[in-house]
Each structure stands twice: as C-alpha cells, then as structure tokens.
C-alpha cells in the first residue's frame, strides 16, 4: 500500500477492547481531537483514530487525549492500554499484524481484566509537618539540629551532613510504615497490587501504589482510601486516581504484541 497521506491517514492505536465496545462519543488525540473508532477482528477490536501527521506527537493535549480514551473505556469494560505513540500504517495492518496475530493473548487478558479497573494512590509528605513530627519524636535529632544551628557555617559542615542523613533515615522508616498501612487497608479490596518499593521513593513521596479493583468493590475501595487519606492528612497529601485503564497490570501482554509501526 502507498505511504499514508492526508487522504489515506495512518492509524493511531490507543488500546485493545472487546468487539462490542462503544467508543462513538470519544475524542482522541489531535487538534481538533480525532474521532475514535474500532478496527474489529472477531471478538476483539483496536481503539483507533486517523492520524494526519502535522507535527510531532507528544503534546500535553495528546497525552491527555490518549489517557482520556483509555480511562473512559476502562470505566465501561475491559481495556488493554497501549503505550502512548503507537502508530500503524493502516487499518489492514492493525487487523492483520496486531489483532489477528495476538487474538488468543488479547482475549485471555481481556477476560482476566473483565469488570476491573486500576486505582492509583499517591501520597506526598507535607515537608514542614513531617519534619516537625521527626523533631518531636526524636530528641537526638532535635538536639543535633540545635547544636548545628549554634555553630559557625564552616564548622558545622560535617554535623549538618550527619543531621541530614539522620532525618532522611527517619523519614524512610516512616515511609515504610505508611506504605505498609496503605497496603493493609486497601489490598484486601483489590484483585492484585503493584506498589513502588518505599526504599526507592524520591523527594516527598510517601506512598505510591496501584490496585486492580473489581467493579463490585469500587465504592468500598474509594471509601477505604478516603479513610486512609483522613488518617494521613496531618502529615501527607493523598490523591486517589481512578477508575483508570490497567496501565500497571496489562503491560506484558501489550508489550509483547506491539505491532510494527509506520
């Protein structure tokens, strides 16, 4: 087939759904946003929109459009999200190289994800509050901080380094405890969990975890997350995102089936 042109556009692929999904009201990437349609193959389908290349992909609007399509469909039924930027030369390639070649894997994955969606919990420490808590609970750290403040700047260098290390270790201990608390509260309401190790956290991150939750448990899960947020509110800001497409739980399937791009 000839190279895509504005009258024969390439396909931008958002993800994989069952063939009975309805994307008719969805708008995808592009300016103006492109209409999202299905390329079907028996019991499965790809969510696609025409892509007339006017410039590079990756604007903030493109990223939001990609996520909007997937998250909207995830609230309605199972969806396998493709990573942002999947562009295939035409609908025939989508049907033959993506869907037909991986029909069984997609069907199995969609069945496993049926009536579920991802919820992502992110908590960030309030820096001033967590520091006050540390100083109130650790007399040795508070005393060293006072000693450092009383020393000339040059003379206090090594003690300041030691103080920083002690504070960092104490916050890391609290992060481990807060992560364990979040999992204790929320994991029983989830099908499975993907949690970032507390030891790998950076900056003010307190908790970062994603949960695959059955639709029947969404309300209970959200209520439990609200209770957790109230309990952590004095030291951390908590955000719950969802229902989302299962970005953290479908990656292996879609990565192995990624089609040859244009």
């Amino acid at each position: 087939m000839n190279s895509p042109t504005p009258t024969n556009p390439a396909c931008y692929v958002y993800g994989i759904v069952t063939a009975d999904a309805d994307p008719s009201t969805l708008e995808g990437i592009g300016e103006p946003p492109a209409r999202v349609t299905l390329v079907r193959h028996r019991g499965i389908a790809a969510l696609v929109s025409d892509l007339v290349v006017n410039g590079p992909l990756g604007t903030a609007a493109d990223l939001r459009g990609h996520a909007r399509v997937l998250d909207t469909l995830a609230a309605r039924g199972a969806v396998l999200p493709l990573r942002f930027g999947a562009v295939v030369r035409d609908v025939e390639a989508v049907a033959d190289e993506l869907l037909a070649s991986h029909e069984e894997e997609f069907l199995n994955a969609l069945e496993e994800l049926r009536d579920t969606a991802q919820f992502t919990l992110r908590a960030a420490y309030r820096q001033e509050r967590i520091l006050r808590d540390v100083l109130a609970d650790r007399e040795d750290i508070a005393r060293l901080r006072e000693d450092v403040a009383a020393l000339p700047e040059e003379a206090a260098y090594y003690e300041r380094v030691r103080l920083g290390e002690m504070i960092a270790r104490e916050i890391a201990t609290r992060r481990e405890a807060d992560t364990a608390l979040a999992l204790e509260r929320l994991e029983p309401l989830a099908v499975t969990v993907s949690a970032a190790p507390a030891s790998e956290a950076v900056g003010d991150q307190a908790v970062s975890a994603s949960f695959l939750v059955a639709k029947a448990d969404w309300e209970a899960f959200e209520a439990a997350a609200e209770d957790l947020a109230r309990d952590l509110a004095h030291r951390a800001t908590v955000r719950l995102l969802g229902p989302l497409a299962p970005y953290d739980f479908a990656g292996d399937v879609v990565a192995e089936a990624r089609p040859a791009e244009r």
Side-chain angles (χ1 to χ4, degrees), residues 52-71:
V52 178
V53 180
N54 296 317
L57 289 173
T59 66
D62 287 338
L63 294 168
R64 288 193 299 269
H66 179 87
R68 181 175 60 247
V69 169
L70 293 169
D71 295 342

Side-chain angles (χ1 to χ4, degrees), residues 215-246:
K215 191 170 186 177
D217 294 323
W218 287 1
E219 185 175 345
F221 184 90
E222 291 175 315
E226 288 178 2
D227 289 342
L228 176 67
R230 281 192 291 270
D231 290 343
L232 296 179
H234 69 287
R235 64 179 178 274
T237 301
V238 179
R239 294 177 62 208
L240 181 67
L241 308 175
L244 307 172

Side-chain angles (χ1 to χ4, degrees), residues 114-204:
R114 185 163 58 91
D115 293 329
T116 66
Q118 176 174 317
F119 287 80
T120 296
L121 183 89
R122 292 177 181 154
Y125 285 125
R126 305 175 189 271
Q127 288 295 337
E128 292 184 2
R129 178 55 65 87
I130 192 70
L131 179 58
R132 282 203 299 269
D133 287 353
V134 168
L135 295 175
D137 295 341
R138 291 285 302 271
E139 292 183 5
D140 55 335
I141 295 178
R143 191 179 308 113
L144 178 59
R145 187 170 185 258
E146 292 175 357
D147 293 344
V148 167
L151 292 172
E153 185 173 347
E154 291 184 3
Y157 174 77
Y158 291 106
E159 290 298 273
R160 188 177 294 109
V161 170
R162 186 162 75 92
L163 175 64
E165 291 173 343
M166 290 175 68
I167 292 173
R169 285 195 297 270
E170 179 62 22
I171 292 177
T173 298
R174 293 169 187 244
R175 183 181 291 118
E176 292 275 2
D178 287 337
T179 298
L181 176 65
L183 294 178
E184 178 185 341
R185 298 274 192 89
L186 300 178
E187 189 169 10
L189 296 168
V191 176
T192 187
V193 179
S194 175
S199 59
E200 297 178 5
V202 295
D204 60 359

